Amino acid sequence: MSPGLARAALGRIAGAAFSLIGVAVLLQLMLRAAPGDPIDLLPDAEGQRAALEAAWGLDRSLLQVLMDVLQGRLGESLALRPGAAVAGLVVEASVASAPLLLGALPLSLLLAVPVARSGRGRAVAAALSATPIFLFAFGWVSLINELTFALMGAGLVSAPPWFALPDQPSALRTALAALSLAVASGNLSAVANHLLGERSRARASGWREALVARGEPTALPMLRNLLPGALALLGARSANLVGGLVVLEKVMLVPGAGAMLWDAALARDYPLALGLSLAAATAVVGLSLGCELGRIALDPRLQGGA
Amino acid sequence: MSPKIAALSAPLLLLLISGITAQVVDLDVVADVSPGRAGLGPSAQLWLGADHLGRSVGARLFMATGGAVGPGLLAALSGLALGLPLGAAAGWWDGAASRAAGAVIDVLGALPRFVWVLLFAILYGDRPAWIGLGVGVAGAPALALALRARIQELRRVSFVEASMLHGVSVAEVLVLHLIGTASRRLIARHLVELFVASVVVEATLGYIGGFGVQQPAPSWGNMIAFSFGQREGNALAWIAPAVALQAVVATGALLAGAIAEGERGLGGGGG
């Protein structure tokens, strides 16, 4: 790794870490500003207030709580999985969501390249990208379900092995969910439009004309020229991807961090909901950082500390 | 205003008027269950037919706009209230003020929209206002970043430097010229996006359930979830809200695109 690349990478990593600390502080401030007191909700608990405050960590200062968060101590789940460590639940759910998230990111790039290359399908990509993510997933799920039921009803097929019940893991469902996330998060259209614009600019550039004049292939240099910008765009849109995950996991019944956040919020499980929110912020900042580091690695001009 | 922008604004304006009207008219779409007309198709009395409980789909579609428009307006206002000062501070000043505004933008932008909405719902109550506020806070960083870029681009141009040399105050140059005049299209585009995003979030919450407008009260999202899968009866009960939502989203995207075209047509700085 060149010193310029290392310097630029360290700067970005420090920035990402600072943002995450900021999110942890913000979440704690929001919690402290929330009205009500959980102990008030318990019958005859006034006598045990001090003990309950200590047990639930309500008597801890903001600094103490932040130190706990930095050490991975996020408390215990109160309602969804009572007594289970939030950190463990968050890690478990995040691991389950990772294939979906990490699959959707390259998928949006892979799908955008042919759209941008041919110039066709832009309107379709734009229309699909503009579709609300729950409606897009609902369309997929309904179409596949109806078709499968129709085929099964006609006696043409028996229940296919991938036609999983809601509580069974399904590779097809995860793949469809990743595709839905790549398209309906708006990434497909945004990246395709970006690539199309940048391609026109690169085509008119001197370096490409020189390559053509020398009879050398232009596809790879073009890709290398266009990728950094596309990565920057994907990084900037990472919050859309993670936000879409929350909805998609609920609609497509994929068990993961997004679905767990929704359930934790419904159950008013504050420690778990805050832990998962911090995990969502980590995913956003992490994806953004990964894209940024990829951009810096691909573009030597950015390695001078820019 | 270009004819294209005017034409694309009309459906959103219609939604706005419909939403405000739905708040004031007294139309009972909750208790009007009528088994005798369950699943009826469109007719002169029921122009979109009835759902499987015999409730008018058209009336529910109309009344659902009441729950979508309020949070949408609040999302646009709160996004503006937060994004504008952050973007202006990050773009105009150098040094600590700019870095501090940039850090706040980064922190706010690290939480996705749905996470903001769920956090507000569990911490402060599941009320429409919090949906709008959640969407507004989540959208503020995008507005702030766009505004920062615009102001950074413009603050060294000759008319700004000339204004400052003639003694025009920073506030006047920043608020009146750089934000009010040069960035008005950029701001309008973000307001449209925030409004539409809030309508989508409200429908999504209703569709998944647990938050937002719950049955028997109507929301476009819960109408889709509630009526889809009824093998017998009127498919318009779920198709109509899905089409209405998609139409709003598509119109919003086209309107934002048309405004962005206008920005580019004016060389980016005329926005």
Side-chain angles (χ1 to χ4, degrees):
Chain A
M1 189 188 281
S2 72
L5 178 58
R7 209 171 28 248
L10 276 176
R12 301 302 198 278
I13 292 168
F18 184 78
S19 292
L20 282 179
I21 292 171
V23 171
V25 173
L26 180 70
L27 290 175
Q28 286 304 320
L29 291 175
M30 284 175 72
L31 179 65
R32 279 155 197 259
D37 183 340
I39 298 171
D40 291 343
L41 300 175
L42 298 177
D44 305 325
E46 207 47 50
Q48 307 165 50
R49 175 168 286 277
L52 284 170
E53 279 183 347
W56 292 351
L58 299 175
D59 57 347
R60 299 173 72 74
S61 70
L62 183 62
L63 193 65
Q64 283 173 315
V65 174
L66 280 177
M67 292 310 290
D68 282 350
V69 169
L70 288 176
Q71 291 168 50
R73 288 201 296 264
L74 302 176
E76 289 178 355
S77 169
L78 295 178
L80 203 63
R81 311 266 173 86
V86 166
L89 290 173
V90 167
V91 170
E92 189 185 314
S94 303
V95 168
S97 292
L100 196 54
L101 204 55
L102 297 177
L105 194 72
L107 209 54
S108 37
L109 196 57
L110 284 175
L111 291 171
V113 169
V115 173
R117 198 178 158 88
S118 68
R120 287 186 214 116
R122 247 176 92 191
V124 177
L128 291 177
S129 286
T131 305
I133 203 155
F134 87 89
L135 215 50
F136 190 87
F138 162 76
W140 267 119
V141 173
S142 308
L143 189 69
I144 289 175
N145 281 349
E146 293 299 314
L147 274 176
T148 311
F149 278 129
L151 290 173
M152 283 161 63
L156 294 172
V157 294
S158 54
W162 49 260
F163 195 62
L165 293 169
D167 57 345
Q168 291 174 336
S170 160
L172 179 78
R173 193 168 49 207
T174 304
L176 282 179
L179 187 64
S180 303
L181 196 54
V183 175
S185 62
N187 275 7
L188 171 63
S189 177
V191 177
N193 282 337
H194 170 83
L195 287 178
L196 212 59
E198 289 300 303
R199 192 184 67 152
S200 309
R201 205 168 312 181
R203 274 187 161 173
S205 65
W207 61 264
R208 185 180 175 275
E209 283 175 7
L211 284 177
V212 172
R214 289 205 297 266
E216 289 179 20
T218 57
L220 264 180
M222 278 283 271
L223 195 64
R224 190 161 176 186
N225 193 270
L226 299 183
L227 259 182
L231 281 176
L233 184 65
L234 280 174
R237 296 184 58 84
S238 53
N240 290 38
L241 212 60
V242 179
L245 184 86
V246 178
V247 176
L248 209 65
E249 285 188 348
K250 280 306 285 179
V251 176
M252 296 188 79
L253 304 172
V254 180
M260 188 184 271
L261 172 61
W262 196 286
D263 295 338
L266 267 181
R268 300 290 188 270
D269 193 334
Y270 298 95
L272 187 55
L274 292 187
L276 287 163
S277 300
L278 191 59
T282 309
V284 171
V285 171
L287 283 178
S288 189
L289 178 67
C291 289
E292 185 65 11
L293 294 182
R295 187 171 82 101
I296 294 171
L298 281 171
D299 191 343
R301 290 170 298 182
L302 299 171
Q303 293 172 17
Chain B
M1 189 189 285
S2 78
K4 190 177 175 184
I5 291 178
L8 288 167
S9 303
L12 292 185
L13 210 61
L14 194 68
L15 173 69
L16 210 64
I17 293 167
S18 167
I20 294 166
T21 313
Q23 298 277 9
V24 290
V25 297
D26 186 22
L27 198 59
D28 185 7
V29 290
V30 173
D32 68 337
V33 173
S34 171
R37 59 184 199 186
L40 281 182
S43 64
Q45 286 78 35
L46 299 166
W47 48 280
L48 285 174
D51 66 10
H52 61 284
L53 296 181
R55 300 175 299 187
S56 165
V57 173
R60 289 177 68 76
L61 197 68
F62 162 66
M63 290 304 281
T65 58
V69 160
L73 290 175
L74 194 64
L77 285 176
S78 55
L80 192 68
L82 201 56
L84 227 53
L86 281 174
W92 182 262
W93 284 286
D94 291 314
S98 175
R99 278 199 299 277
V104 175
I105 293 170
D106 285 347
V107 169
L108 295 180
L111 285 169
R113 186 184 299 149
F114 271 97
V115 175
W116 272 115
V117 171
L118 291 178
L119 276 173
F120 275 130
I122 62 166
L123 291 175
Y124 307 118
D126 178 21
R127 282 187 287 275
W130 291 117
I131 296 176
L133 207 60
V135 174
V137 174
L143 170 59
L145 286 173
L147 194 63
R148 177 174 76 176
R150 173 64 53 84
I151 290 174
Q152 281 176 341
E153 176 193 330
L154 290 176
R155 68 178 182 170
R156 300 270 178 254
V157 298
S158 48
F159 89 85
V160 174
E161 288 184 346
S163 299
M164 301 296 288
L165 287 172
H166 277 86
V168 179
S169 69
V170 170
E172 193 177 333
V173 169
L174 194 56
V175 175
L176 209 62
H177 299 300
L178 296 189
I179 294 175
T181 306
S183 307
R184 66 175 191 273
R185 281 172 185 266
L186 179 151
I187 293 167
R189 176 163 57 87
H190 278 87
L191 292 185
V192 169
E193 286 171 352
L194 280 170
F195 178 79
V196 172
S198 173
V199 172
V200 170
V201 167
E202 192 275 329
T204 307
L205 293 174
Y207 176 83
I208 297 177
F211 294 105
V213 179
Q214 303 289 305
Q215 284 280 359
S219 115
W220 288 352
N222 75 25
M223 285 174 74
I224 298 170
F226 192 63
S227 297
F228 182 77
Q230 299 299 322
R231 299 274 146 194
E232 308 291 326
N234 180 18
L236 278 176
W238 64 270
I239 291 176
V243 169
L245 179 62
Q246 187 61 33
V248 168
V249 174
T251 308
L254 288 172
L255 180 58
I259 297 172
E261 258 173 46
E263 283 176 59
R264 282 193 293 274
L266 290 167

